[in-house]
Amino acid sequence: MPRPRSEDRRNAILRAATRVIASQGLGAATAAIAREADISNGSLFTYFDTKAELLNELYVALKAEMATAATPDLRAGDGLREQVCRMWTQWWRWAMANPDKRRALAQLQVSDDITADSHRAASLAFSGVADLLERSRANGPMQNVPLGFVLTLVNGIAEATIDEMIREPAEAEARSRVASDALWRVLAGSAAPPTA
Amino acid sequence: MPRPRSEDRRNAILRAATRVIASQGLGAATAAIAREADISNGSLFTYFDTKAELLNELYVALKAEMATAATPDLRAGDGLREQVCRMWTQWWRWAMANPDKRRALAQLQVSDDITADSHRAASLAFSGVADLLERSRANGPMQNVPLGFVLTLVNGIAEATIDEMIREPAEAEARSRVASDALWRVLAGSAAPPTA
Amino acid sequence: MPRPRSEDRRNAILRAATRVIASQGLGAATAAIAREADISNGSLFTYFDTKAELLNELYVALKAEMATAATPDLRAGDGLREQVCRMWTQWWRWAMANPDKRRALAQLQVSDDITADSHRAASLAFSGVADLLERSRANGPMQNVPLGFVLTLVNGIAEATIDEMIREPAEAEARSRVASDALWRVLAGSAAPPTA
Amino acid sequence: MPRPRSEDRRNAILRAATRVIASQGLGAATAAIAREADISNGSLFTYFDTKAELLNELYVALKAEMATAATPDLRAGDGLREQVCRMWTQWWRWAMANPDKRRALAQLQVSDDITADSHRAASLAFSGVADLLERSRANGPMQNVPLGFVLTLVNGIAEATIDEMIREPAEAEARSRVASDALWRVLAGSAAPPTA
DNA sequence: GATGAATGAGCTTTCATTCAT
DNA sequence: AATGAATGAAAGCTCATTCAT
């Protein structure tokens, strides 16, 4: 029995790719990623057949991680407003805590190497978030548009806010509250603050 | 800034770069851009010293064009709501009419080759839009955050909506209205429709 | 020569190599050969230290098989002409029946990896054929040249004819007779047909 | 006007390829060929799009050169026998004088990279030789087989003899006469010596 | 001995940039 | 200034061989 293909090694490559892509962009050499993962350049290709495959898997993995981080646990008794608030908080906390992942994602998102399948898989990971948004927009001004549009919109607002938070980390908490209110206004149309 | 002879040629290169980058991404070869511009590969470098310089100039030019398209003419008598509405309409009309420019911008926005200076220059071009947003948010819920944040946020919402419009062009007008209302809610906090 | 366990496996590798080289050329990866032989890539190297060694052994084995196929059984009473005729028939029958082996041989013959020793060993295998040729040329026009030259020449004629037979398999029998006569003319100088 | 693409350089690459392939086989690196031709590795690809294209052009060029060398000038008054004799002499003289070209050809001949088109082009170059053979076999034992077969056969005999000449250069002239007679016997069936 | 992952040198090809014309 | 050939440093990927299991 040979040395088994190791899940650890595979993850090490994905982590290394995240770091290298965050700092050098998608043009980063596979050899650089391998070096960062402490493996030989040839070894990378036993885990990912091509660079494009590595990028696709990384994209889906990062999106899924982000989605998981954002998806709020179901706590009985919480109102929708609270749930949205918690989701949003979890989302930006993850983003602020993982700047490399966010930067890598920004590059991957617009890459031609990312297939339609990967984009689909990434969307699927957001179903928990989508469920919450579906309930939140139910009787509001967004009730008649496709849920996908709502998701896109919320994502746009979230990312824009996180960009600002990164520019001014000291004000992150303050911005968070402003953004949370804005989000709710977009979804539900009223500015009622969450019951504290 | 010593400018070489033909401004026409320079612009031809920028237009060619837009098309080529839209279809092939930032990895596009300078030779491909030169061919698309109907000049020799060497000639490109008499107009732009490096590929990075070309990308930066293209980025700023496209952002500026987008900003110009979005900036509403000052018409006496128009209310803020109407002006925001007009801005937004002009914005997405430009985006829908110029898919290549939008796609190229999406790539450029996240490129490591784009300098902080270029990002600053791009923001400056949005001063007309910024002015309008400044007035629009004056007494609303966003009155105490930096104007840059408001711009970022509005930009995020706009881009998300345009993405959706591209997915479903038939519904563009309908989405436009929904988005316009959402935008106003974010800025001003109330959903009052524009006085027609 | 310490031989590892299974002679079967060794032969399986040689057979697999024949097929793979016939279809992909000498550039074929050792891993491809191993896969075709249904063993692991590493295992191949317990049977052959290097790829070059495998190629050399394959070359000698194929040449020897060809020689064995061509060598006519000694049948008392047969005239030389009949024996040459039988040899030639056996030769091309083997070639037509084993296209992969022939193609692999064609590649191996010109490879830099094949050592002088292997070429010598291959010649040795043709001693039966050489004996017959020695007797056949005894009083003819080739009586004063080295036997090796006669062998080379006969080989050249045989291979050229087989190439033609492969191009037009339907005419193989007809070509066989023409070539047999030509062979005899080269060796013995007269065109007397075999006494049937 | 830029430096024009130079036919000299192109030929230098072909010559370099001949030498390098003769000594290292078809596995020779394009970089090695470029170095031997005293150009940069990238430059090679402005003259030949791919390595396979280079190999194909080299193959056709070498075959054509060999054919030209072998094709006898038409001299009024020469009998067929003399013409065949002259062709054969010119052929082997060229081969002995150009060992690298012969070795490179041997490799190229069996390469999978050589297309059917190239093989066709190579055959065409031998039309002068083919004409002579057509006339020579006219009333002899080979009159009823395809001319292509005759060519293949003559080629096989020629190459086999040249191989022997290379093994024993001192005997080249002697072998030449023996081979010439054998050739004539194959074609015309009689051993009549050339009228001196 | 058998397995297949690990290794790293080496390959062809691309491409931003330079430079002879 | 314009041209496009020349340059050479990468890049992604392959593969003979080694080695941990």
Side-chain angles (χ1 to χ4, degrees):
Chain A
M1 248 174 294
R3 192 185 308 190
R5 207 188 284 195
S6 135
E7 197 66 23
D8 272 6
R9 248 170 146 82
R10 194 187 171 80
N11 290 331
I13 295 172
L14 288 169
R15 278 193 307 274
T18 305
R19 272 173 266 137
V20 173
I21 289 170
S23 79
Q24 313 184 31
L26 295 179
T30 52
I33 295 172
R35 196 177 325 115
E36 177 82 15
D38 265 317
I39 60 169
S40 69
N41 49 9
S43 238
L44 187 149
F45 292 93
T46 67
Y47 290 92
F48 303 92
D49 278 347
T50 62
K51 185 182 186 183
E53 191 181 308
L54 166 58
L55 295 183
N56 275 278
E57 296 218 22
L58 180 59
Y59 172 67
V60 175
L62 289 179
K63 272 287 211 184
E65 187 183 319
M66 185 192 235
T68 302
T71 304
D73 349 316
L74 292 174
R75 289 197 211 154
D78 268 4
L80 278 178
R81 185 71 177 92
E82 279 77 26
Q83 282 181 268
V84 168
C85 194
R86 200 156 70 243
M87 174 202 74
W88 160 234
T89 303
Q90 290 168 196
W91 189 333
W92 69 260
R93 288 247 162 86
W94 180 87
M96 297 290 285
N98 297 280
D100 280 356
K101 292 179 181 173
R102 218 178 94 88
R103 271 161 81 170
L105 259 179
Q107 315 270 144
L108 290 164
Q109 211 113 16
V110 299
S111 164
D112 293 320
D113 285 329
I114 303 302
T115 66
D117 266 12
S118 295
H119 281 294
R120 254 189 302 279
S123 305
L124 276 177
F126 273 83
S127 61
V129 171
D131 280 352
L132 175 57
L133 296 181
E134 176 68 56
R135 282 175 285 132
S136 302
R137 61 105 174 225
N139 302 112
M142 311 286 285
Q143 62 187 276
N144 291 319
V145 299
L147 183 56
F149 177 26
V150 180
L151 243 177
T152 304
L153 210 47
V154 167
N155 185 65
I157 293 170
E159 294 297 330
T161 307
I162 296 167
D163 282 342
E164 171 70 16
M165 287 171 159
I166 287 169
R167 276 197 295 272
E168 287 288 358
E171 305 296 324
E173 291 285 349
R175 301 287 175 267
S176 169
R177 257 167 280 123
V178 172
S180 179
D181 290 347
L183 212 54
W184 190 252
R185 263 176 277 140
V186 166
L187 286 172
S190 87
T195 9
Chain B
M1 259 181 280
R3 280 289 152 83
R5 277 291 159 72
S6 159
E7 195 70 19
D8 272 6
R9 251 175 147 86
R10 193 185 173 80
N11 289 329
I13 295 172
L14 288 169
R15 279 194 306 273
T18 305
R19 273 173 265 137
V20 173
I21 289 171
S23 79
Q24 314 184 29
L26 295 179
T30 52
I33 296 171
R35 195 177 327 114
E36 177 83 14
D38 268 318
I39 60 165
S40 69
N41 56 2
S43 236
L44 188 149
F45 289 92
T46 69
Y47 291 92
F48 303 93
D49 279 348
T50 64
K51 186 182 187 182
E53 190 181 311
L54 165 58
L55 296 183
N56 276 278
E57 297 219 21
L58 180 59
Y59 173 67
V60 175
L62 289 178
K63 272 287 208 183
E65 187 183 320
M66 187 192 234
T68 303
T71 305
D73 348 316
L74 292 174
R75 289 196 211 157
D78 268 4
L80 278 178
R81 185 71 177 92
E82 279 78 26
Q83 282 182 270
V84 167
C85 194
R86 203 159 66 245
M87 174 203 75
W88 161 232
T89 303
Q90 290 168 200
W91 188 334
W92 70 259
R93 290 248 162 87
W94 179 88
M96 298 289 284
N98 296 279
D100 280 356
K101 293 178 180 172
R102 218 178 93 88
R103 272 159 80 170
L105 260 178
Q107 315 269 145
L108 290 164
Q109 211 113 18
V110 299
S111 165
D112 295 317
D113 285 329
I114 303 302
T115 64
D117 266 11
S118 295
H119 282 294
R120 252 188 305 278
S123 306
L124 277 177
F126 273 83
S127 61
V129 172
D131 281 352
L132 174 57
L133 296 181
E134 176 67 57
R135 281 174 286 132
S136 302
R137 61 107 174 224
N139 302 110
M142 310 287 281
Q143 61 187 275
N144 291 320
V145 299
L147 183 56
F149 177 26
V150 180
L151 243 177
T152 304
L153 209 48
V154 168
N155 185 65
I157 292 170
E159 294 298 330
T161 307
I162 296 167
D163 282 343
E164 171 70 16
M165 287 171 160
I166 287 169
R167 276 198 295 271
E168 287 288 358
E171 305 295 325
E173 292 284 348
R175 300 288 175 268
S176 169
R177 259 166 279 124
V178 172
S180 179
D181 290 347
L183 212 54
W184 191 252
R185 263 176 276 140
V186 166
L187 287 172
S190 88
T195 7
Chain C
M1 260 182 279
R3 281 289 152 84
R5 276 293 157 70
S6 160
E7 196 69 18
D8 272 7
R9 251 171 145 85
R10 193 185 172 79
N11 289 330
I13 295 173
L14 288 169
R15 278 195 307 274
T18 305
R19 272 173 265 136
V20 173
I21 289 171
S23 80
Q24 312 185 29
L26 294 179
T30 52
I33 295 171
R35 196 178 325 115
E36 177 82 13
D38 268 318
I39 60 166
S40 69
N41 55 4
S43 237
L44 188 150
F45 289 91
T46 69
Y47 291 92
F48 304 91
D49 279 348
T50 64
K51 186 184 186 181
E53 190 180 311
L54 165 58
L55 295 182
N56 276 277
E57 298 219 19
L58 180 59
Y59 172 67
V60 174
L62 289 179
K63 272 287 208 184
E65 188 183 319
M66 187 191 234
T68 302
T71 304
D73 349 316
L74 292 175
R75 287 197 214 156
D78 268 4
L80 278 178
R81 184 71 177 90
E82 279 77 27
Q83 280 181 270
V84 167
C85 193
R86 201 155 71 243
M87 174 202 74
W88 160 233
T89 304
Q90 289 168 201
W91 189 334
W92 70 259
R93 289 247 162 87
W94 179 87
M96 298 289 285
N98 295 281
D100 280 358
K101 292 178 181 173
R102 217 177 95 87
R103 272 160 79 170
L105 260 179
Q107 314 269 145
L108 289 164
Q109 212 113 15
V110 300
S111 165
D112 295 318
D113 286 329
I114 304 303
T115 64
D117 267 10
S118 296
H119 281 294
R120 252 189 305 277
S123 306
L124 278 177
F126 272 83
S127 61
V129 171
D131 281 351
L132 175 56
L133 295 181
E134 176 67 56
R135 281 175 286 132
S136 303
R137 62 110 173 220
N139 302 111
M142 311 286 284
Q143 61 187 275
N144 291 320
V145 301
L147 183 56
F149 176 25
V150 180
L151 243 177
T152 304
L153 210 46
V154 168
N155 185 65
I157 294 170
E159 294 297 330
T161 306
I162 295 167
D163 283 342
E164 171 69 15
M165 287 171 161
I166 287 168
R167 276 198 294 271
E168 286 290 358
E171 305 296 325
E173 292 284 349
R175 300 287 175 268
S176 169
R177 258 168 279 123
V178 172
S180 180
D181 290 347
L183 213 53
W184 189 253
R185 261 176 278 141
V186 167
L187 287 173
S190 86
T195 7
Chain D
M1 250 174 294
R3 192 185 309 189
R5 207 188 282 195
S6 136
E7 197 65 23
D8 273 6
R9 249 170 145 83
R10 194 187 171 80
N11 290 330
I13 295 173
L14 288 170
R15 278 194 307 273
T18 304
R19 271 173 266 137
V20 174
I21 289 171
S23 79
Q24 313 184 30
L26 295 178
T30 52
I33 296 172
R35 197 178 324 114
E36 176 81 16
D38 266 317
I39 59 168
S40 70
N41 51 7
S43 239
L44 188 150
F45 290 92
T46 68
Y47 290 91
F48 303 93
D49 279 346
T50 62
K51 185 184 185 181
E53 192 181 309
L54 166 58
L55 296 183
N56 275 277
E57 297 218 19
L58 181 59
Y59 172 68
V60 174
L62 290 179
K63 272 285 209 184
E65 188 183 317
M66 186 192 234
T68 302
T71 304
D73 347 316
L74 293 174
R75 287 197 212 156
D78 269 3
L80 279 177
R81 184 71 176 90
E82 279 78 28
Q83 282 181 271
V84 167
C85 194
R86 202 158 65 243
M87 175 202 76
W88 160 233
T89 304
Q90 289 169 197
W91 189 332
W92 69 259
R93 288 249 162 86
W94 180 87
M96 296 291 284
N98 296 280
D100 281 356
K101 293 179 181 172
R102 218 177 92 88
R103 271 160 81 170
L105 260 179
Q107 315 271 143
L108 290 164
Q109 212 114 16
V110 300
S111 164
D112 294 320
D113 285 329
I114 303 302
T115 65
D117 265 12
S118 295
H119 282 294
R120 251 188 306 277
S123 305
L124 277 177
F126 273 84
S127 60
V129 172
D131 280 352
L132 176 56
L133 296 181
E134 176 67 57
R135 281 175 286 133
S136 303
R137 62 106 174 224
N139 302 111
M142 311 286 283
Q143 63 188 276
N144 291 320
V145 301
L147 183 56
F149 177 25
V150 180
L151 243 177
T152 304
L153 209 47
V154 167
N155 185 64
I157 293 170
E159 294 296 330
T161 306
I162 295 166
D163 283 342
E164 170 69 17
M165 287 171 160
I166 287 169
R167 277 197 295 270
E168 287 290 357
E171 305 296 325
E173 291 285 348
R175 302 285 176 268
S176 169
R177 258 168 279 124
V178 172
S180 179
D181 291 346
L183 211 53
W184 190 252
R185 262 175 278 141
V186 166
L187 287 172
S190 86
T195 8

